[in-house]
Every structure is written in structure tokens, then in C-alpha cells.
Amino acid sequence: MHDVGLAALHHLLVFGLALMLAMELAILRGERVDVRRLARLDGGYGLTAGLVVAVGVARVIWGARGWAFYRDNPAFWTKIGLFAAIGLISILPTLAFLRWARAARADPAFQPDAAQRAGAIRWVRLEIGLLLLLVVAAAAMARWPLG
């Protein structure tokens, strides 16, 4: 039962990441950007990503399959690489959202210009695309060894 609980929590957290990225994209595509809300949401995204890692490590250490299953599983390492890439890419929009929130504190009427918004949208879309690939890698990992 312990393994099922860890797996369920891990999956719920990943679904949370997907939901938060979709919400960020919706805010960015809106008529006006609520930059304070966007920055808070992105902070929650970062916290959730950290929890995904923590629960994932717990699954590797205390889960039913054990380290050997993960160590020798190429789809697992693909997932790790994709998650790391998403994390690195997420730094760029996070820095923008923090700058925008700071600017909004100084000037409540502040709005990022079209080019700034377009750049953030591109990065968030890339994160979403890589997260979709990560889900495919997760499905392949769960069926290891293939054959």
C-alpha cells in the first residue's frame, strides 16, 4: 500500500504541474496579465516541482520496484533528463514573472509588452511540450523491460 500511495501522490503532483502550466499560459494569453497572480502561481509551480522530485526519490528508495529497476531503465533516465530540461527552461519565465511583479509593485498599471509576453508564452509552451514527452517516457518506463 505504501508504494501505491507514493505512486498516487507522484502522479497527482505531476498533474498539478500540468495544470499550473496551463494556468500560466491562460494568464499570459489574456487581455491583461495579472502579473502578481502569475508570479504566485509560478512560485507554486516551483514548489510542486520540488515535491515531485522528493516523492520520486522516495519511490526509488522505498518503492516496490527498487533502485535496480530504475538504474537500468533507459526510459527512467529519459524522464530525469526531460524533467531537468523543463526545470532549466522554467528559469527564464520565472525571472520574467518576478521582474514583472516587481514592476507592478512600483507601478500598479504595469503590463509586460507584447514581445515580453510572446517570449514567456514560447517558454511555457516548450515546458508543456517537454512535459508531454515526459509522460510518454513514464509510460515506457512502467512497461520496462519491453518485450
Side-chain angles (χ1 to χ4, degrees):
M1 201 57 168
H2 180 73
D3 187 62
V4 172
L6 286 173
L9 181 57
H10 192 70
H11 290 98
L12 289 171
L13 289 167
V14 171
F15 288 135
L17 289 179
L19 178 62
M20 287 183 253
L21 284 173
M23 291 172 67
E24 285 185 3
L25 192 56
I27 291 170
L28 286 165
R29 294 179 65 197
E31 192 169 308
R32 292 190 49 80
V33 176
D34 184 342
V35 294
R36 290 186 185 121
R37 181 175 180 212
L38 187 60
R40 284 191 310 272
L41 177 61
D42 196 64
Y45 174 75
L47 176 64
T48 303
L51 290 171
V52 166
V53 171
V55 174
V57 168
R59 288 186 75 191
V60 168
I61 295 171
W62 296 298
R65 292 192 168 176
W67 168 242
F69 170 81
Y70 294 99
R71 180 193 63 222
D72 298 331
N73 190 321
F76 169 75
W77 294 106
T78 300
K79 274 182 49 179
I80 296 298
L82 287 165
F83 198 79
I86 293 166
L88 290 172
I89 290 165
S90 76
I91 292 169
L92 296 169
T94 293
L95 292 175
F97 301 159
L98 291 172
R99 273 193 312 273
W100 299 351
R102 209 170 21 254
R105 280 192 300 277
D107 174 11
F110 171 81
Q111 283 292 290
D113 64 35
Q116 292 171 319
R117 285 172 71 165
I121 287 169
R122 275 192 302 276
W123 289 117
V124 171
R125 283 181 175 161
L126 180 56
E127 288 178 73
I128 291 169
L130 292 176
L131 188 60
L132 292 172
L133 290 175
L134 188 145
V135 170
V136 172
M141 184 193 84
R143 281 142 187 86
W144 184 260
L146 302 176

